[in-house]
Amino acid sequence: LFNSRIDDTMAQQNATGTGNDPISIVSYSPHDALETSDFPASNAHLDATNVISIVCGNSRYHWALHGGYDDEYFPNLFWKTSTMGEFSEDDAENLQDYFPRKAFQAIGGPEFDSDHTIENLLHHITKRRIPFFHVYIISNGDKARETVPLLFSRVPCRIIQLQACDFVTGQYDG
């Protein structure tokens, strides 16, 4: 659903000749945010600069912030956190607890040196050509599939769960 809103907005911009204008996203719900990967439709937009991957293990989450298409989506920052505790959509401020200072600085530059808040992050990414995050998760547990969308509930994003077939070809009995 969220993906179709983005595609509709981009198609409208291309039809009206405003393809270089920022995309405005009018609504977002974390409950319909989790997509199952379906490449090439799950590829990040070529102009995307906010690409995050999260490998959700049993005791830790391994995060990476990736460069954009021009950088071949090469990860430029890694960090680890504990698994996410119980929280609700009202506790979306928790995202700043999972982003280290270096992540805020990599996303927003020096303006994030003193104010590492969700509001500052939102203010910054809405100025971008592609004003949302692409978040790819790898998880075999239901908990991560439930909590990651809640964690990003205040941030416009596409959350895509990668599957085993995205990494291996042929028969996989895993």
Side-chain angles (χ1 to χ4, degrees):
L1 180 62
F2 183 69
N3 188 22
S4 64
R5 282 188 228 134
I6 294 168
D7 292 341
D8 291 344
T9 305
M10 291 174 73
Q12 181 183 17
Q13 286 180 342
N14 289 335
T16 60
T18 59
N20 290 329
D21 297 335
I23 297 171
S24 59
I25 299 172
V26 292
S27 62
Y28 168 71
S29 170
H31 302 292
D32 39 280
L34 188 62
E35 303 174 32
T36 301
S37 62
D38 180 24
F39 289 97
S42 296
N43 286 343
H45 190 281
L46 295 178
D47 292 332
T49 55
N50 300 313
V51 180
I52 296 172
S53 63
I54 310 169
V55 178
C56 305
N58 292 333
S59 62
R60 297 217 184 288
Y61 288 178
H62 300 264
W63 300 66
L65 182 63
H66 300 261
Y69 175 79
D70 292 338
D71 296 325
E72 299 178 2
Y73 301 107
F74 197 78
N76 52 33
L77 181 65
F78 297 96
W79 69 97
K80 290 188 243 181
T81 64
S82 61
T83 58
M84 296 175 196
E86 296 296 323
F87 61 90
S88 68
E89 193 172 332
D90 296 332
D91 296 323
E93 289 294 323
N94 287 342
L95 180 60
Q96 65 196 33
D97 296 335
Y98 287 90
F99 269 36
R101 171 182 287 226
K102 291 285 187 188
F104 276 97
Q105 291 171 342
I107 293 166
E111 70 185 69
F112 284 117
D113 281 345
S114 61
D115 194 12
H116 302 125
T117 64
I118 298 300
E119 286 75 23
N120 198 7
L121 182 70
L122 288 172
H123 178 74
H124 177 74
I125 67 170
T126 55
K127 296 179 191 177
R128 298 275 178 105
R129 163 82 174 95
I130 304 299
F132 57 91
F133 282 95
H134 289 80
V135 180
Y136 295 92
I137 66 169
I138 302 166
S139 173
N140 61 357
D142 290 336
K143 183 170 173 119
R145 289 190 292 268
E146 294 169 6
T147 56
V148 168
L150 288 174
L151 189 65
F152 283 89
S153 65
R154 295 202 37 221
V155 179
C157 60
R158 260 183 96 187
I159 303 174
I160 300 163
Q161 180 176 350
L162 299 176
Q163 307 171 78
C165 63
D166 297 328
F167 300 98
V168 297
T169 57
Q171 182 70 26
Y172 179 72
D173 297 323

